Amino acid sequence: MDKKTLSERDICTKFITPAVEKSGWNTHTQLLEEVSFTDGKIYVRGKLTARGTQKRADYILYYKPNIPIAIIEAKDNKHSVRAGIQQALDYARILDIPCVFSSNGDGFLFHDRTATDGNIETELDIDSFPTPEQLWERYKKYKGITTPESEKIAAQDYYFDGTSRKPRYYQQIAVNRTVEAIANGQNRIILVMATGTGKTYTAFQIIHRLWKSGAKKRILFLADRNALIDQTRRGDFKHFKDKMTVVKHRQIDKSYEIYLALYQGLSGTDDEANVYKQFSPDFFDLIVIDECHRGSAKEDSSWREILSYFNKATHIGLTATPKETKETSNAEYFGEPVYTYSLKQGIDDGFLAPYRVVRVGLNVDAEGWRPNQGKTDKDGNPVEDRIYNRKDFDRNLVIEERTELVAKKLTEFLKGYDRFAKTIVFCVDIDHAERMRSALAKQNADLVAENYKYIMQITGDNDEGKRELDNFINPEEKYPVIATTSELMTTGVDAQTCKVIVLDANINSMTKFKQIIGRGTRINEEFGKMYFTILDFRNATDLFADKDFDGDPIRVKPVSQDEDLSMVVIDEEEDTVTVLDQESGEEIKFEKAKIRYPDGSPLNGNWVAREPREKVYVNGVDVSVLVSREMYFDQHGKPITTSLKDHTKEIIKENFASLDDFLNKWNSTERKEAIITELQDQGIMVEALYDAVGKQVDLFDLICHVAYDQPPLTRKERANNVKKRNYFTKYGDQAKQVLEALLDKYADEGITNIESIEVLRVNPFDAFGSPVEIISNFGSKEKYLQAVKELEFELYKTA
């Protein structure tokens, strides 16, 4: 047998798989072939979406299910045994795997990421692949697992529910790293995972493995909102069955093993309300703190007292947005994250929805508003003469026309997109959310008449709205469609089908901004949710340009902190004080003020927190839209500040130094769609450029025009040039008709639609017969594909 003639897949089947199996690997439970570990990035093309290429490993080897310890990259025998090692190393870095192999069927190149003695790469013959036990020893070295007790914990099985569900690769890493850190004696751990990436499922697998191994016998899951507890209990944690309880009405039953509880349900302002003290300090072995950037993040908060009381337990913090401010530091308490999976990573992998951003600039926001002399408010009182700006609107001063225009622009957008797209409108406060609901109801009177729940105010003070929260986030429920809110829906709301997020609040906190954006990042393909749109009326999306948006949080909290702010957060930029209601979990915003301790001692002075001054309501103000435009983002998730043309030109010239380089690549590529995908991966907004230059221009001409200043031809002009050359005369009548139809198809829809044989199933080709019958006119499938390739050459040869 001549190995050089075999395909890569044949090399795997005939040589690599038998060699691995011979070394004792179970092909059913330990060896997986062609493992796609990402879903492929979603690209938005107008209202259509397409998936990019998945990352795929040829082999992943597992000591136990979901505990990967080795990766193999295969190549055909025309390549050397070393040819796949760099790609394998890249995948091993992503997947946190220590043992890396490359093979061409002759043998293996073994790269040992644990090696420190210079033997980092070794060539092995085809019969010398390591056994599972040998690679498990390498894995333990890589993870620092040194004792039988820690090995028992690290090797504990995952929970399987009998379905095909299994952790995604980043969830595996998060679970494994956390369990292994605890096995090695670490007692303070934080996991940072973007909203929508399955923190609760990850927490369940961590808890289950530690519980089953006997390492942790009694576990407390803490959250600060009822919605989070309810979602957890009904969701993944339901598998704990009768071993689990939810602490309610401050009633404590010590006969359970898994406890779910609100901070507010365990603590209060006096010792009688602090029911957590009914447990002994060593009752719990493990405490998991959901959304740990919130309640317990502050060093001397009343909620932190719960963690301090159970300080002998292991504490695991979960958050999408670790908090690092002058007052608060997650890193100080938990240490550095054992694993971080960011929003950008989630979008690039195709597990999170990408976003479009449309910014709407209003004249009063950009220019400010100053009342005319003698201007009075709605009650006839004179309006203070000063310039009001975006920070004032809806907080100190309400301009009715501004609210109405925001409602009108949102309604116009939904009418052009989908009037039943689930939408969250984030407002300045509860009053603003209430007024926005009314303004939207007027703009959508037809749908509100059909069902008044089309628009609902969902805020902490509105019981009717809060009762509709579950219906809003349930993909099966049609109503409510639009939710107006202030703080209640910023976090902990699993809105799988939210397609539109409206920002009409001043957002200066990066933590809050990330949490709000996270309401739209979930994907639900069954209900057509593949991306979401952000309508920004307050320039809040400037935060996308902040270096910290998808970077590591910068720790700015001093090591020592003497001031006890309890549950009060002072926002220096917004001039406000926010107090977290211990019972409802709703954040109440006050004007900035100096605060007294409960014992009367002053904090930075002698003032006490007070309600905001009464708002001023005015009308009769000219409010208009100055500009409305879509923002575009580069491959790093940062806004593009140059023109799309200049941005595209720069990327293309990084890939193709000259026009000849590009022409050679274009003509030699079997499928032009591959070039489109490659350019999109590099950050080129192909569809946006089409919009800017003209839909009838081919991608080929688009690139030549933008990057190399070539005069573009339309698709129709290129098709007509081919027809003028009488290129089809060498084909029979039937084949000629098919090629002419392909040429017309190209003129209408572009090159990618004629490259697939599937095009032969649609109009007008179905009139010529079945795909098999059409292809027979060319003699064979190979000759048909060759004819298409020649047609493409004719289309572009005049360039």
Side-chain angles (χ1 to χ4, degrees), residues 730-760:
K730 68 178 186 176
Y731 293 99
D733 289 342
Q734 294 294 323
K736 181 180 177 182
Q737 288 181 26
V738 172
L739 291 172
E740 287 175 340
L742 283 172
L743 204 54
D744 291 336
K745 196 77 169 174
Y746 160 80
D748 289 338
E749 300 176 6
I751 193 68
T752 59
N753 287 322
I754 73 170
E755 293 187 318
S756 170
I757 288 179
E758 293 301 309
V759 76
L760 302 180

PDB file of all heavy atoms in Angstrom, residues 730-760:
ATOM      1  N   LYS A 730     -18.932  25.939 -27.308  1.00  0.00           N
ATOM      2  CA  LYS A 730     -18.303  24.603 -27.269  1.00  0.00           C
ATOM      3  C   LYS A 730     -19.168  23.570 -26.558  1.00  0.00           C
ATOM      4  O   LYS A 730     -18.828  22.402 -26.486  1.00  0.00           O
ATOM      5  CB  LYS A 730     -16.930  24.690 -26.604  1.00  0.00           C
ATOM      6  CG  LYS A 730     -16.942  25.020 -25.114  1.00  0.00           C
ATOM      7  CD  LYS A 730     -15.494  25.018 -24.601  1.00  0.00           C
ATOM      8  CE  LYS A 730     -15.431  25.190 -23.103  1.00  0.00           C
ATOM      9  NZ  LYS A 730     -14.053  25.092 -22.595  1.00  0.00           N
ATOM     10  N   TYR A 731     -20.295  24.007 -25.965  1.00  0.00           N
ATOM     11  CA  TYR A 731     -21.182  23.087 -25.229  1.00  0.00           C
ATOM     12  C   TYR A 731     -22.411  22.755 -26.073  1.00  0.00           C
ATOM     13  O   TYR A 731     -22.799  23.516 -26.971  1.00  0.00           O
ATOM     14  CB  TYR A 731     -21.622  23.711 -23.907  1.00  0.00           C
ATOM     15  CG  TYR A 731     -20.498  23.895 -22.918  1.00  0.00           C
ATOM     16  CD1 TYR A 731     -19.880  25.136 -22.758  1.00  0.00           C
ATOM     17  CD2 TYR A 731     -20.033  22.833 -22.150  1.00  0.00           C
ATOM     18  CE1 TYR A 731     -18.847  25.311 -21.860  1.00  0.00           C
ATOM     19  CE2 TYR A 731     -19.002  22.992 -21.244  1.00  0.00           C
ATOM     20  CZ  TYR A 731     -18.411  24.228 -21.105  1.00  0.00           C
ATOM     21  OH  TYR A 731     -17.380  24.393 -20.216  1.00  0.00           O
ATOM     22  N   GLY A 732     -23.034  21.628 -25.739  1.00  0.00           N
ATOM     23  CA  GLY A 732     -24.297  21.264 -26.363  1.00  0.00           C
ATOM     24  C   GLY A 732     -25.411  22.193 -25.920  1.00  0.00           C
ATOM     25  O   GLY A 732     -25.267  22.957 -24.960  1.00  0.00           O
ATOM     26  N   ASP A 733     -26.564  22.102 -26.596  1.00  0.00           N
ATOM     27  CA  ASP A 733     -27.667  23.027 -26.317  1.00  0.00           C
ATOM     28  C   ASP A 733     -28.129  22.978 -24.867  1.00  0.00           C
ATOM     29  O   ASP A 733     -28.358  24.008 -24.243  1.00  0.00           O
ATOM     30  CB  ASP A 733     -28.849  22.726 -27.260  1.00  0.00           C
ATOM     31  CG  ASP A 733     -28.544  23.134 -28.698  1.00  0.00           C
ATOM     32  OD1 ASP A 733     -27.603  23.942 -28.891  1.00  0.00           O
ATOM     33  OD2 ASP A 733     -29.237  22.651 -29.611  1.00  0.00           O
ATOM     34  N   GLN A 734     -28.286  21.770 -24.312  1.00  0.00           N
ATOM     35  CA  GLN A 734     -28.781  21.651 -22.943  1.00  0.00           C
ATOM     36  C   GLN A 734     -27.788  22.233 -21.948  1.00  0.00           C
ATOM     37  O   GLN A 734     -28.162  22.998 -21.048  1.00  0.00           O
ATOM     38  CB  GLN A 734     -29.061  20.173 -22.612  1.00  0.00           C
ATOM     39  CG  GLN A 734     -30.190  19.550 -23.412  1.00  0.00           C
ATOM     40  CD  GLN A 734     -31.530  20.180 -23.060  1.00  0.00           C
ATOM     41  OE1 GLN A 734     -31.784  20.518 -21.917  1.00  0.00           O
ATOM     42  NE2 GLN A 734     -32.383  20.332 -24.063  1.00  0.00           N
ATOM     43  N   ALA A 735     -26.521  21.866 -22.135  1.00  0.00           N
ATOM     44  CA  ALA A 735     -25.496  22.387 -21.229  1.00  0.00           C
ATOM     45  C   ALA A 735     -25.368  23.903 -21.357  1.00  0.00           C
ATOM     46  O   ALA A 735     -25.189  24.622 -20.367  1.00  0.00           O
ATOM     47  CB  ALA A 735     -24.155  21.717 -21.517  1.00  0.00           C
ATOM     48  N   LYS A 736     -25.504  24.392 -22.576  1.00  0.00           N
ATOM     49  CA  LYS A 736     -25.409  25.832 -22.829  1.00  0.00           C
ATOM     50  C   LYS A 736     -26.519  26.579 -22.086  1.00  0.00           C
ATOM     51  O   LYS A 736     -26.294  27.625 -21.475  1.00  0.00           O
ATOM     52  CB  LYS A 736     -25.496  26.092 -24.327  1.00  0.00           C
ATOM     53  CG  LYS A 736     -25.395  27.555 -24.714  1.00  0.00           C
ATOM     54  CD  LYS A 736     -25.487  27.715 -26.229  1.00  0.00           C
ATOM     55  CE  LYS A 736     -25.467  29.192 -26.614  1.00  0.00           C
ATOM     56  NZ  LYS A 736     -25.612  29.367 -28.078  1.00  0.00           N
ATOM     57  N   GLN A 737     -27.739  26.024 -22.094  1.00  0.00           N
ATOM     58  CA  GLN A 737     -28.861  26.655 -21.391  1.00  0.00           C
ATOM     59  C   GLN A 737     -28.603  26.710 -19.887  1.00  0.00           C
ATOM     60  O   GLN A 737     -28.921  27.711 -19.218  1.00  0.00           O
ATOM     61  CB  GLN A 737     -30.153  25.880 -21.655  1.00  0.00           C
ATOM     62  CG  GLN A 737     -30.689  26.045 -23.071  1.00  0.00           C
ATOM     63  CD  GLN A 737     -31.979  25.273 -23.273  1.00  0.00           C
ATOM     64  OE1 GLN A 737     -32.723  25.017 -22.326  1.00  0.00           O
ATOM     65  NE2 GLN A 737     -32.244  24.885 -24.511  1.00  0.00           N
ATOM     66  N   VAL A 738     -28.012  25.649 -19.352  1.00  0.00           N
ATOM     67  CA  VAL A 738     -27.715  25.615 -17.923  1.00  0.00           C
ATOM     68  C   VAL A 738     -26.679  26.690 -17.573  1.00  0.00           C
ATOM     69  O   VAL A 738     -26.837  27.434 -16.589  1.00  0.00           O
ATOM     70  CB  VAL A 738     -27.208  24.223 -17.500  1.00  0.00           C
ATOM     71  CG1 VAL A 738     -26.708  24.238 -16.063  1.00  0.00           C
ATOM     72  CG2 VAL A 738     -28.304  23.184 -17.676  1.00  0.00           C
ATOM     73  N   LEU A 739     -25.621  26.804 -18.366  1.00  0.00           N
ATOM     74  CA  LEU A 739     -24.576  27.789 -18.093  1.00  0.00           C
ATOM     75  C   LEU A 739     -25.097  29.218 -18.234  1.00  0.00           C
ATOM     76  O   LEU A 739     -24.722  30.107 -17.461  1.00  0.00           O
ATOM     77  CB  LEU A 739     -23.378  27.558 -19.011  1.00  0.00           C
ATOM     78  CG  LEU A 739     -22.578  26.273 -18.737  1.00  0.00           C
ATOM     79  CD1 LEU A 739     -21.543  26.038 -19.820  1.00  0.00           C
ATOM     80  CD2 LEU A 739     -21.893  26.352 -17.369  1.00  0.00           C
ATOM     81  N   GLU A 740     -25.962  29.435 -19.220  1.00  0.00           N
ATOM     82  CA  GLU A 740     -26.554  30.769 -19.364  1.00  0.00           C
ATOM     83  C   GLU A 740     -27.423  31.112 -18.154  1.00  0.00           C
ATOM     84  O   GLU A 740     -27.449  32.256 -17.675  1.00  0.00           O
ATOM     85  CB  GLU A 740     -27.370  30.850 -20.658  1.00  0.00           C
ATOM     86  CG  GLU A 740     -26.493  30.894 -21.919  1.00  0.00           C
ATOM     87  CD  GLU A 740     -27.317  30.848 -23.196  1.00  0.00           C
ATOM     88  OE1 GLU A 740     -28.495  30.403 -23.123  1.00  0.00           O
ATOM     89  OE2 GLU A 740     -26.802  31.246 -24.253  1.00  0.00           O
ATOM     90  N   ALA A 741     -28.142  30.107 -17.665  1.00  0.00           N
ATOM     91  CA  ALA A 741     -28.965  30.322 -16.470  1.00  0.00           C
ATOM     92  C   ALA A 741     -28.081  30.589 -15.244  1.00  0.00           C
ATOM     93  O   ALA A 741     -28.417  31.418 -14.387  1.00  0.00           O
ATOM     94  CB  ALA A 741     -29.856  29.115 -16.215  1.00  0.00           C
ATOM     95  N   LEU A 742     -26.948  29.890 -15.153  1.00  0.00           N
ATOM     96  CA  LEU A 742     -26.001  30.145 -14.057  1.00  0.00           C
ATOM     97  C   LEU A 742     -25.459  31.573 -14.148  1.00  0.00           C
ATOM     98  O   LEU A 742     -25.282  32.254 -13.129  1.00  0.00           O
ATOM     99  CB  LEU A 742     -24.845  29.150 -14.105  1.00  0.00           C
ATOM    100  CG  LEU A 742     -25.122  27.733 -13.598  1.00  0.00           C
ATOM    101  CD1 LEU A 742     -23.938  26.824 -13.895  1.00  0.00           C
ATOM    102  CD2 LEU A 742     -25.432  27.728 -12.101  1.00  0.00           C
ATOM    103  N   LEU A 743     -25.223  32.020 -15.357  1.00  0.00           N
ATOM    104  CA  LEU A 743     -24.719  33.377 -15.555  1.00  0.00           C
ATOM    105  C   LEU A 743     -25.751  34.412 -15.097  1.00  0.00           C
ATOM    106  O   LEU A 743     -25.419  35.398 -14.429  1.00  0.00           O
ATOM    107  CB  LEU A 743     -24.389  33.579 -17.040  1.00  0.00           C
ATOM    108  CG  LEU A 743     -23.351  34.652 -17.404  1.00  0.00           C
ATOM    109  CD1 LEU A 743     -22.056  34.440 -16.642  1.00  0.00           C
ATOM    110  CD2 LEU A 743     -23.115  34.634 -18.908  1.00  0.00           C
ATOM    111  N   ASP A 744     -27.027  34.161 -15.431  1.00  0.00           N
ATOM    112  CA  ASP A 744     -28.093  35.059 -14.970  1.00  0.00           C
ATOM    113  C   ASP A 744     -28.221  35.014 -13.453  1.00  0.00           C
ATOM    114  O   ASP A 744     -28.474  36.034 -12.809  1.00  0.00           O
ATOM    115  CB  ASP A 744     -29.426  34.670 -15.628  1.00  0.00           C
ATOM    116  CG  ASP A 744     -29.443  34.957 -17.125  1.00  0.00           C
ATOM    117  OD1 ASP A 744     -28.667  35.829 -17.575  1.00  0.00           O
ATOM    118  OD2 ASP A 744     -30.223  34.297 -17.838  1.00  0.00           O
ATOM    119  N   LYS A 745     -28.052  33.819 -12.884  1.00  0.00           N
ATOM    120  CA  LYS A 745     -28.115  33.664 -11.431  1.00  0.00           C
ATOM    121  C   LYS A 745     -26.993  34.462 -10.767  1.00  0.00           C
ATOM    122  O   LYS A 745     -27.194  35.117  -9.743  1.00  0.00           O
ATOM    123  CB  LYS A 745     -27.992  32.181 -11.066  1.00  0.00           C
ATOM    124  CG  LYS A 745     -28.418  31.843  -9.644  1.00  0.00           C
ATOM    125  CD  LYS A 745     -29.919  31.811  -9.527  1.00  0.00           C
ATOM    126  CE  LYS A 745     -30.379  31.234  -8.213  1.00  0.00           C
ATOM    127  NZ  LYS A 745     -31.847  31.339  -8.055  1.00  0.00           N
ATOM    128  N   TYR A 746     -25.817  34.415 -11.375  1.00  0.00           N
ATOM    129  CA  TYR A 746     -24.693  35.194 -10.866  1.00  0.00           C
ATOM    130  C   TYR A 746     -25.017  36.688 -10.906  1.00  0.00           C
ATOM    131  O   TYR A 746     -24.764  37.419  -9.940  1.00  0.00           O
ATOM    132  CB  TYR A 746     -23.437  34.911 -11.699  1.00  0.00           C
ATOM    133  CG  TYR A 746     -22.384  35.990 -11.567  1.00  0.00           C
ATOM    134  CD1 TYR A 746     -21.533  36.027 -10.472  1.00  0.00           C
ATOM    135  CD2 TYR A 746     -22.280  37.000 -12.528  1.00  0.00           C
ATOM    136  CE1 TYR A 746     -20.589  37.036 -10.330  1.00  0.00           C
ATOM    137  CE2 TYR A 746     -21.336  38.009 -12.395  1.00  0.00           C
ATOM    138  CZ  TYR A 746     -20.500  38.036 -11.302  1.00  0.00           C
ATOM    139  OH  TYR A 746     -19.575  39.036 -11.159  1.00  0.00           O
ATOM    140  N   ALA A 747     -25.573  37.155 -12.019  1.00  0.00           N
ATOM    141  CA  ALA A 747     -25.891  38.580 -12.157  1.00  0.00           C
ATOM    142  C   ALA A 747     -26.875  39.037 -11.092  1.00  0.00           C
ATOM    143  O   ALA A 747     -26.800  40.156 -10.580  1.00  0.00           O
ATOM    144  CB  ALA A 747     -26.448  38.859 -13.553  1.00  0.00           C
ATOM    145  N   ASP A 748     -27.812  38.147 -10.714  1.00  0.00           N
ATOM    146  CA  ASP A 748     -28.826  38.502  -9.723  1.00  0.00           C
ATOM    147  C   ASP A 748     -28.328  38.368  -8.283  1.00  0.00           C
ATOM    148  O   ASP A 748     -28.643  39.203  -7.430  1.00  0.00           O
ATOM    149  CB  ASP A 748     -30.068  37.612  -9.889  1.00  0.00           C
ATOM    150  CG  ASP A 748     -30.836  37.942 -11.152  1.00  0.00           C
ATOM    151  OD1 ASP A 748     -30.687  39.078 -11.656  1.00  0.00           O
ATOM    152  OD2 ASP A 748     -31.564  37.068 -11.650  1.00  0.00           O
ATOM    153  N   GLU A 749     -27.550  37.300  -7.998  1.00  0.00           N
ATOM    154  CA  GLU A 749     -27.291  36.948  -6.603  1.00  0.00           C
ATOM    155  C   GLU A 749     -25.816  36.864  -6.210  1.00  0.00           C
ATOM    156  O   GLU A 749     -25.500  36.810  -5.023  1.00  0.00           O
ATOM    157  CB  GLU A 749     -27.980  35.614  -6.267  1.00  0.00           C
ATOM    158  CG  GLU A 749     -29.481  35.655  -6.459  1.00  0.00           C
ATOM    159  CD  GLU A 749     -30.130  34.309  -6.206  1.00  0.00           C
ATOM    160  OE1 GLU A 749     -29.409  33.383  -5.763  1.00  0.00           O
ATOM    161  OE2 GLU A 749     -31.330  34.175  -6.455  1.00  0.00           O
ATOM    162  N   GLY A 750     -24.903  36.782  -7.182  1.00  0.00           N
ATOM    163  CA  GLY A 750     -23.497  36.728  -6.833  1.00  0.00           C
ATOM    164  C   GLY A 750     -22.871  35.353  -7.031  1.00  0.00           C
ATOM    165  O   GLY A 750     -23.553  34.363  -7.300  1.00  0.00           O
ATOM    166  N   ILE A 751     -21.559  35.306  -6.842  1.00  0.00           N
ATOM    167  CA  ILE A 751     -20.773  34.130  -7.206  1.00  0.00           C
ATOM    168  C   ILE A 751     -21.022  32.932  -6.309  1.00  0.00           C
ATOM    169  O   ILE A 751     -21.019  31.784  -6.759  1.00  0.00           O
ATOM    170  CB  ILE A 751     -19.256  34.487  -7.212  1.00  0.00           C
ATOM    171  CG1 ILE A 751     -18.441  33.382  -7.894  1.00  0.00           C
ATOM    172  CG2 ILE A 751     -18.754  34.751  -5.804  1.00  0.00           C
ATOM    173  CD1 ILE A 751     -18.694  33.277  -9.365  1.00  0.00           C
ATOM    174  N   THR A 752     -21.257  33.160  -5.015  1.00  0.00           N
ATOM    175  CA  THR A 752     -21.342  32.019  -4.096  1.00  0.00           C
ATOM    176  C   THR A 752     -22.544  31.139  -4.387  1.00  0.00           C
ATOM    177  O   THR A 752     -22.520  29.950  -4.111  1.00  0.00           O
ATOM    178  CB  THR A 752     -21.400  32.501  -2.631  1.00  0.00           C
ATOM    179  OG1 THR A 752     -22.536  33.339  -2.459  1.00  0.00           O
ATOM    180  CG2 THR A 752     -20.144  33.259  -2.250  1.00  0.00           C
ATOM    181  N   ASN A 753     -23.605  31.715  -4.940  1.00  0.00           N
ATOM    182  CA  ASN A 753     -24.821  30.932  -5.172  1.00  0.00           C
ATOM    183  C   ASN A 753     -24.711  29.993  -6.370  1.00  0.00           C
ATOM    184  O   ASN A 753     -25.536  29.092  -6.511  1.00  0.00           O
ATOM    185  CB  ASN A 753     -26.023  31.855  -5.358  1.00  0.00           C
ATOM    186  CG  ASN A 753     -26.446  32.496  -4.067  1.00  0.00           C
ATOM    187  OD1 ASN A 753     -26.418  31.862  -3.026  1.00  0.00           O
ATOM    188  ND2 ASN A 753     -26.804  33.768  -4.105  1.00  0.00           N
ATOM    189  N   ILE A 754     -23.726  30.204  -7.235  1.00  0.00           N
ATOM    190  CA  ILE A 754     -23.602  29.281  -8.379  1.00  0.00           C
ATOM    191  C   ILE A 754     -22.563  28.203  -8.136  1.00  0.00           C
ATOM    192  O   ILE A 754     -22.396  27.301  -8.951  1.00  0.00           O
ATOM    193  CB  ILE A 754     -23.290  30.043  -9.692  1.00  0.00           C
ATOM    194  CG1 ILE A 754     -21.842  30.547  -9.711  1.00  0.00           C
ATOM    195  CG2 ILE A 754     -24.273  31.185  -9.906  1.00  0.00           C
ATOM    196  CD1 ILE A 754     -21.415  31.079 -11.063  1.00  0.00           C
ATOM    197  N   GLU A 755     -21.843  28.278  -6.986  1.00  0.00           N
ATOM    198  CA  GLU A 755     -20.781  27.313  -6.724  1.00  0.00           C
ATOM    199  C   GLU A 755     -21.305  26.009  -6.143  1.00  0.00           C
ATOM    200  O   GLU A 755     -20.607  25.001  -6.170  1.00  0.00           O
ATOM    201  CB  GLU A 755     -19.744  27.915  -5.776  1.00  0.00           C
ATOM    202  CG  GLU A 755     -18.965  29.062  -6.407  1.00  0.00           C
ATOM    203  CD  GLU A 755     -17.838  29.547  -5.523  1.00  0.00           C
ATOM    204  OE1 GLU A 755     -18.044  29.664  -4.307  1.00  0.00           O
ATOM    205  OE2 GLU A 755     -16.735  29.780  -6.052  1.00  0.00           O
ATOM    206  N   SER A 756     -22.500  26.023  -5.613  1.00  0.00           N
ATOM    207  CA  SER A 756     -23.056  24.817  -5.004  1.00  0.00           C
ATOM    208  C   SER A 756     -23.961  24.080  -5.987  1.00  0.00           C
ATOM    209  O   SER A 756     -24.754  24.700  -6.705  1.00  0.00           O
ATOM    210  CB  SER A 756     -23.847  25.187  -3.753  1.00  0.00           C
ATOM    211  OG  SER A 756     -24.568  24.073  -3.275  1.00  0.00           O
ATOM    212  N   ILE A 757     -23.859  22.758  -5.973  1.00  0.00           N
ATOM    213  CA  ILE A 757     -24.732  21.944  -6.831  1.00  0.00           C
ATOM    214  C   ILE A 757     -26.186  22.101  -6.409  1.00  0.00           C
ATOM    215  O   ILE A 757     -27.106  21.902  -7.210  1.00  0.00           O
ATOM    216  CB  ILE A 757     -24.283  20.464  -6.778  1.00  0.00           C
ATOM    217  CG1 ILE A 757     -22.961  20.308  -7.542  1.00  0.00           C
ATOM    218  CG2 ILE A 757     -25.341  19.534  -7.346  1.00  0.00           C
ATOM    219  CD1 ILE A 757     -22.403  18.904  -7.547  1.00  0.00           C
ATOM    220  N   GLU A 758     -26.417  22.507  -5.156  1.00  0.00           N
ATOM    221  CA  GLU A 758     -27.785  22.692  -4.666  1.00  0.00           C
ATOM    222  C   GLU A 758     -28.563  23.708  -5.477  1.00  0.00           C
ATOM    223  O   GLU A 758     -29.788  23.698  -5.497  1.00  0.00           O
ATOM    224  CB  GLU A 758     -27.763  23.116  -3.195  1.00  0.00           C
ATOM    225  CG  GLU A 758     -27.262  22.048  -2.244  1.00  0.00           C
ATOM    226  CD  GLU A 758     -28.120  20.785  -2.308  1.00  0.00           C
ATOM    227  OE1 GLU A 758     -29.360  20.909  -2.203  1.00  0.00           O
ATOM    228  OE2 GLU A 758     -27.545  19.699  -2.478  1.00  0.00           O
ATOM    229  N   VAL A 759     -27.839  24.614  -6.165  1.00  0.00           N
ATOM    230  CA  VAL A 759     -28.533  25.611  -6.981  1.00  0.00           C
ATOM    231  C   VAL A 759     -29.355  24.963  -8.093  1.00  0.00           C
ATOM    232  O   VAL A 759     -30.347  25.536  -8.574  1.00  0.00           O
ATOM    233  CB  VAL A 759     -27.510  26.621  -7.574  1.00  0.00           C
ATOM    234  CG1 VAL A 759     -26.742  25.982  -8.732  1.00  0.00           C
ATOM    235  CG2 VAL A 759     -28.210  27.898  -8.033  1.00  0.00           C
ATOM    236  N   LEU A 760     -28.982  23.742  -8.478  1.00  0.00           N
ATOM    237  CA  LEU A 760     -29.691  23.052  -9.555  1.00  0.00           C
ATOM    238  C   LEU A 760     -31.073  22.572  -9.134  1.00  0.00           C
ATOM    239  O   LEU A 760     -31.852  22.108  -9.975  1.00  0.00           O
ATOM    240  CB  LEU A 760     -28.858  21.857 -10.051  1.00  0.00           C
ATOM    241  CG  LEU A 760     -27.450  22.201 -10.578  1.00  0.00           C
ATOM    242  CD1 LEU A 760     -26.726  20.937 -11.034  1.00  0.00           C
ATOM    243  CD2 LEU A 760     -27.538  23.208 -11.728  1.00  0.00           C
TER     244      LEU A 760
END
